[in-house]
Amino acid sequence: MGFLAGRAVLVAGAGVTGRSAAEALLAAGASVTVTDGSAERLAALEQLLPGVALVPGLTTPPPGVDLVVTSPGWRPDNPLLVAAAAAGIEVVGEVELAWRMAAELADPPTWLAVTGTNGKTTTVGMLESVLRAAGVDAVACGNVGLPVVDALLAGHRVLAVELSSFQLHWSPSVRPQAGVLLNLAEDHLDWHGGMDAYAAAKARVLTGEVAVGGVDDELVAALLSAAPAAAHVGFTLGEPEEGQLGVVGGALVDRAFGPDAVLAEISDVHPPGPPGVADALAAAALARAYGVPPAAVRQGLRDFRPGAHRAVLVAEVDGVKYVNDSKATNPHAAAASLRSHDSAVWIAGGLLKGASVDDLVREEGHRLRAAVLIGADREVIASALARHVPEVPVVDVATMEDAVRAARSLARPGDAVVMAPAAASMDMFTDYAHRGQAFVEAVRALQRS
């Protein structure tokens, strides 16, 4: 890539994203240094990327560096990034790097981008499935796991890009052909410094040719109306107006892209329930913006199956369903999960990251048979329950196995035990998947007992 040849670039972070960025930079002719707080992660790169300088724990950029490519989790107040900015060195993320590399291609791929507080991974998976049903060479990438630079260099024609607020913060130039903002609620406020900055980062997905937003969410509707995109498209779980996608008589209907069209039946959508239908409408909107016909939308939605730990029914024991929604890592996601059940024993807790659970408990507390709390911020959740639904029994436990046993004793036939923590997992687990697996194993132990 011409703009990278001969440049001295510092990559901040030696994880999956940092490794892919460093590899792409090397291939483009840049001189690359990688830094990380973990000497082990750097050592793992030594054999993979010969020719890269590996320096642990940098707090200032090395002399001569004129670009920093940061991994998305690095906060803007990190001393290294602050020092780079103070020295006039541009700091961007791997997604921004991929965007600039794509701009130099003779025939760059189309970007269709997805963000939101919840539902991103499901939506981008649905979008990939729909595009492939239409015969399009498409791949889901970004926050879903495959770095965007890897997807770009693989030569795919359409990139279905999941973007976190962190990635969007570090991507000032990205303008997808179509981008969707699914929903917006408090999350990662400790990283961004407040709700306004978090919302502003998310709204960057609406700066391309077609902006799509979930208009049932008032915050999203306001951001959509203010978006600089040439075309604005809303989606709703109600009947759509002209220029929107929505639901009519059990069918997903498009009234935005050409003549009114039935895209799919609600029964074609997995996972079932309102969150799944909303995600399907969002994916359909992006696919329709690309020109995918209705038949391919339906086939792609039928073909798609959600990933693990996303509202998965693990088992039914003695008339009680046990649901693993470990991916519900914030209050907004947990509220959507509880909304699918009339009566639930809620397993919750972890790291709230500065988010409030009051709205969640106030709005969904009537569904709770009881609550079982684990993790670092369980007292915050307990206080909200005491304020808004003091009649709901609350049990405080130390482990996931204890939580499942306690939930069993509290549940009645017809209830669901819903593990939707409303919080991040890193206080007790490696990640949400580890937490979800712990729940699954505890339920399996219950079945054997």
Side-chain angles (χ1 to χ4, degrees):
M1 299 293 167
F3 80 100
L4 292 169
R7 295 186 70 176
V9 183
L10 173 65
V11 175
V16 173
T17 299
R19 183 172 70 245
S20 292
E23 188 172 16
L25 288 161
L26 273 181
S31 172
V32 182
T33 301
V34 179
T35 189
D36 194 285
S38 167
E40 292 78 11
R41 279 198 294 269
L42 287 173
L45 288 186
E46 194 165 10
Q47 299 301 317
L48 294 172
L49 297 174
V52 171
L54 304 172
V55 185
L58 283 177
T59 56
T60 58
V65 164
D66 62 1
L67 177 67
V68 175
V69 178
T70 180
S71 296
W74 286 46
R75 291 165 56 127
D77 60 1
N78 180 280
L80 173 60
L81 305 186
V82 170
I89 301 170
E90 187 178 22
V91 180
V92 301
E94 171 264 337
V95 175
E96 177 74 14
L97 175 66
W99 178 260
R100 296 184 186 184
M101 292 172 66
E104 293 203 338
L105 297 176
D107 186 18
T110 297
W111 290 46
L112 304 175
V114 176
T115 198
T117 302
N118 300 300
K120 297 185 293 296
T121 300
T122 298
T123 302
V124 83
M126 289 175 167
L127 176 59
E128 179 191 62
S129 183
V130 168
L131 290 165
R132 290 183 175 179
V136 178
D137 174 21
V139 67
C141 58
N143 196 55
V144 72
L146 175 68
V148 184
V149 289
D150 289 352
L152 176 71
L153 295 175
H156 295 286
R157 297 309 308 139
V158 177
L159 307 183
V161 189
E162 177 185 330
L163 294 174
S164 70
S165 59
F166 305 160
Q167 289 169 316
L168 284 161
H169 175 88
W170 296 118
S171 301
S173 303
V174 172
R175 302 287 184 271
Q177 176 179 316
V180 63
L181 177 54
L182 301 169
N183 44 57
L184 200 58
E186 289 186 346
D187 200 14
H188 303 301
L189 303 191
D190 52 347
W191 196 96
H192 288 280
M195 188 63 183
D196 288 347
Y198 174 65
K202 289 291 192 184
R204 286 186 172 183
V205 81
L206 304 176
T207 56
E209 297 174 26
V210 180
V212 181
V215 294
D216 295 337
D217 184 317
E218 291 183 4
L219 290 174
V220 173
L223 290 170
L224 179 63
S225 67
H232 294 184
V233 175
F235 68 88
T236 172
L237 290 173
E239 184 169 344
E241 299 175 1
E242 196 69 28
Q244 295 181 345
L245 283 75
V247 179
V248 180
L252 279 61
V253 173
D254 174 8
R255 291 180 174 163
F257 299 97
D260 289 4
V262 174
L263 302 177
E265 301 298 320
I266 285 178
S267 59
D268 294 323
V269 176
H270 307 279
V277 173
D279 295 343
L281 288 165
L286 294 183
R288 293 287 283 160
Y290 185 69
V292 169
V297 174
R298 183 169 194 170
Q299 189 60 53
L301 292 176
R302 282 178 168 176
D303 292 344
F304 174 76
R305 290 295 180 273
H309 313 296
R310 292 174 174 83
V312 176
L313 176 62
V314 176
E316 185 168 338
V317 182
D318 299 329
V320 175
K321 295 178 178 179
Y322 290 78
V323 178
N324 171 18
D325 201 358
S326 185
K327 190 64 170 65
T329 57
N330 56 63
H332 188 268
S337 189
L338 290 172
R339 211 169 287 134
S340 299
H341 306 281
D342 293 329
S343 181
V345 177
W346 181 32
I347 297 177
L351 296 169
L352 287 169
K353 303 170 292 183
S356 168
V357 294
D358 282 273
D359 287 348
L360 157 61
V361 173
R362 186 186 302 111
E363 294 167 9
E364 308 304 334
H366 67 282
R367 303 178 187 277
L368 301 182
R369 173 84 63 195
V372 181
L373 304 182
I374 61 174
D377 289 335
R378 58 187 181 272
E379 291 184 7
V380 177
I381 301 174
S383 296
L385 289 162
R387 281 192 296 275
H388 302 295
V389 282
E391 70 280 5
V392 171
V394 177
V395 178
D396 188 318
V397 299
T399 69
M400 185 63 75
E401 189 175 4
D402 290 341
V404 170
R405 283 200 296 259
R408 180 186 192 180
S409 69
L410 293 162
R412 299 178 187 174
D415 287 349
V417 172
V418 182
M419 200 272 287
S425 57
M426 286 76 76
D427 55 333
M428 294 174 62
F429 305 96
T430 304
D431 52 25
Y432 76 84
H434 181 205
R435 177 172 61 190
Q437 189 58 39
F439 176 77
V440 170
E441 291 172 1
V443 173
R444 297 298 184 216
L446 200 69
Q447 288 181 293
R448 293 190 296 268
S449 64

